[in-house]
Amino acid sequence: MFALAVGLTITALLMSSIAFAGTTPQTCDSVPKYYCAKVEYVDQGSYVDVLYRWYWGARDDGATRWQRFWMADWSSDGSQWVLVRSWGEGLWYDNYLFNGWHAIPSGTITQPAAVNLRIRFENCCRDFLPYFWCSPQLDHYLYNNTSAQVGTGTC
Amino acid sequence: MRSKALDFTSRLPGFVAAFAAAVGVTATLGVALLLIWAHGSGVGSAAADEPWPPFVMVYRDTARGYGPNGSMGTQVFRLDYRDSRHFRSVLLEHSAVPEAVGLTQTFDGRQSTFADPRFGVRVTPYAPHERTVPADWLVPAQVPPLAQRPGATTVRLASGLALVTHEAIYGARRVRTEITYRELDGIPIQMVESTDGDETRRVEVVELRLGSR
């Protein structure tokens, strides 16, 4: 009995020190044809090591080009989300269909952790004036390995 | 033998005509540029440039990807639209992220404000010639921009409505998009998208109240 208890304790200690490597479920538009994102990370228990924040965009015969509008890492202090780091507008691309993932690598976030981003599109110049529209906010919750999309297309 | 002076004199009407033509072209270009600038900067009759009257609508947007982990989900918004440079959306319901309710997106012509009750406020400045839209399916125009894409068809429906349909192949997927809008003012009231025959997104206006300018 004692040996069993010791064994279980050692197993539990080993389990608690094993890092969990995961990738959040992709957040894509409904087809998808315009955007997708996911986050690859290692859960170290009290914090996560982000390996890559992946995303891609593409235009169709309406949108003329796309870019990363912004991206941010967040950590909750128990009552609110606190900004850890962020990135602004990326380069513009004009690929018609998916042509590969783009990534921002590395970074540590204290748990509970989240990463979110938006992709921006420009439509030019079919109708009365060119305009910008955006993906919803693409939320990736690393504390429970889930994702969701929130908001509408106003940039 | 004719002198060079005589040659110049004989060509004088031609030079005058060419000069007049150059002045005319320059003036025309100047007026055109002025009109483009005035249009872009909002100078002149703004109301005449507006495709839609002011309105308030509540719409339900159900799509693959709005739910948890890429599944189907629904967002409900209230949109207060004054003109193409002044509007505000408020998230009333979210099937997967109820704590995001109250999220507000505002455009006032000079800046766009994204206020998320969970993650705070983000402000984006806009130049006078730049603009954004109330939603990806709601682009202010008398006829939905979708109708201008190659292969799009438009049919009249009953009750003053029209339906624009567009099909395209993206990769190996056949995507069909249908937008129903009011012929009177061009305001869309429904958008349905299907991918390989399966409905992947449906946006429906559940309440519309028109205002006046």
Side-chain angles (χ1 to χ4, degrees):
Chain A
M1 198 63 183
F2 176 74
L4 180 63
V6 170
L8 286 172
T9 304
I10 291 171
T11 304
L13 286 171
L14 282 171
M15 290 293 286
S16 67
S17 64
I18 293 173
F20 166 74
T23 304
T24 55
Q26 292 184 22
T27 47
C28 306
D29 66 288
S30 51
V31 174
K33 65 177 179 178
Y34 286 119
Y35 60 83
C36 273
K38 61 184 177 183
V39 179
E40 194 179 339
Y41 64 101
V42 178
D43 187 344
Q44 304 285 8
S46 60
Y47 65 95
V48 296
D49 284 322
V50 176
L51 303 179
Y52 296 100
R53 302 160 191 82
W54 296 103
Y55 62 93
W56 65 258
R59 66 177 184 84
D60 67 352
D61 49 3
T64 41
R65 54 184 187 153
W66 70 273
Q67 67 170 174
R68 181 193 71 235
F69 190 34
W70 51 260
M71 180 181 276
D73 288 355
W74 302 87
S75 179
S76 174
D77 66 5
S79 61
Q80 62 180 352
W81 288 102
V82 178
L83 181 65
V84 177
R85 61 182 72 84
S86 65
W87 297 264
E89 295 176 24
L91 297 173
W92 284 102
Y93 297 96
D94 64 358
N95 49 292
Y96 181 72
L97 292 169
F98 166 74
N99 74 339
W101 290 91
H102 300 242
I104 293 182
S106 68
T108 297
I109 314 173
T110 303
Q111 287 278 41
V115 175
N116 55 24
L117 70 150
R118 296 185 81 194
I119 304 292
R120 180 160 75 164
F121 301 86
E122 182 188 53
N123 279 40
C124 181
C125 302
R126 290 178 181 276
D127 54 350
F128 70 117
L129 272 179
Y131 61 89
F132 296 108
W133 63 278
C134 277
S135 70
Q137 181 171 270
L138 311 178
D139 287 346
H140 293 259
Y141 312 112
L142 310 188
Y143 61 91
N144 62 359
N145 198 48
T146 60
S147 61
Q149 301 184 42
V150 178
T152 186
T154 304
C155 287
Chain B
M1 189 177 177
R2 300 172 69 182
S3 70
K4 287 182 180 175
L6 190 60
D7 280 348
F8 176 78
T9 307
S10 65
R11 290 175 188 162
L12 195 55
F15 281 117
V16 170
F19 179 72
V23 169
V25 168
T26 305
T28 306
L29 279 173
V31 169
L33 286 171
L34 193 63
L35 287 172
I36 291 170
W37 170 81
H39 184 74
S41 63
V43 173
S45 174
D49 293 338
E50 291 296 334
W52 295 343
F55 64 82
V56 178
M57 72 162 58
V58 175
Y59 68 90
R60 181 181 303 276
D61 188 350
T62 300
R64 180 191 292 170
Y66 288 173
N69 310 328
S71 61
M72 291 293 281
T74 298
Q75 300 188 90
V76 178
F77 296 93
R78 173 193 163 110
L79 168 64
D80 290 76
Y81 178 90
R82 196 168 98 201
D83 57 47
S84 60
R85 301 188 71 81
H86 299 85
F87 46 83
R88 179 173 184 262
S89 294
V90 181
L91 181 62
L92 303 178
E93 295 176 29
H94 195 300
S95 62
V97 193
E99 58 272 30
V101 166
L103 183 148
T104 304
Q105 294 174 255
T106 308
F107 182 55
D108 68 5
R110 292 174 294 109
Q111 64 183 34
S112 175
T113 305
F114 184 92
D116 185 327
R118 304 163 302 154
F119 295 103
V121 177
R122 188 175 290 269
V123 176
T124 304
Y126 271 76
H129 65 282
E130 295 176 331
R131 67 181 60 197
T132 183
V133 292
D136 61 333
W137 70 283
L138 269 176
V139 179
Q142 191 64 40
V143 172
L146 184 75
Q148 298 172 31
R149 297 192 191 183
T153 58
T154 303
V155 294
R156 281 189 156 173
L157 306 174
S159 308
L161 300 176
L163 172 68
V164 180
T165 304
H166 179 262
E167 275 198 8
I169 303 291
Y170 295 100
R173 296 188 173 92
R174 176 176 291 277
V175 180
R176 180 183 176 88
T177 308
E178 299 174 338
I179 293 181
T180 305
Y181 66 99
R182 293 156 46 94
E183 279 191 295
L184 180 66
D185 47 31
I187 298 174
I189 59 164
Q190 180 175 283
M191 195 276 281
V192 178
E193 176 190 81
S194 58
T195 305
D196 294 332
D198 295 329
E199 188 171 299
T200 45
R201 188 177 180 194
R202 174 178 288 267
V203 187
E204 291 177 316
V205 174
V206 294
E207 191 179 323
L208 176 65
R209 190 173 73 239
L210 294 177
S212 59
R213 186 165 281 118

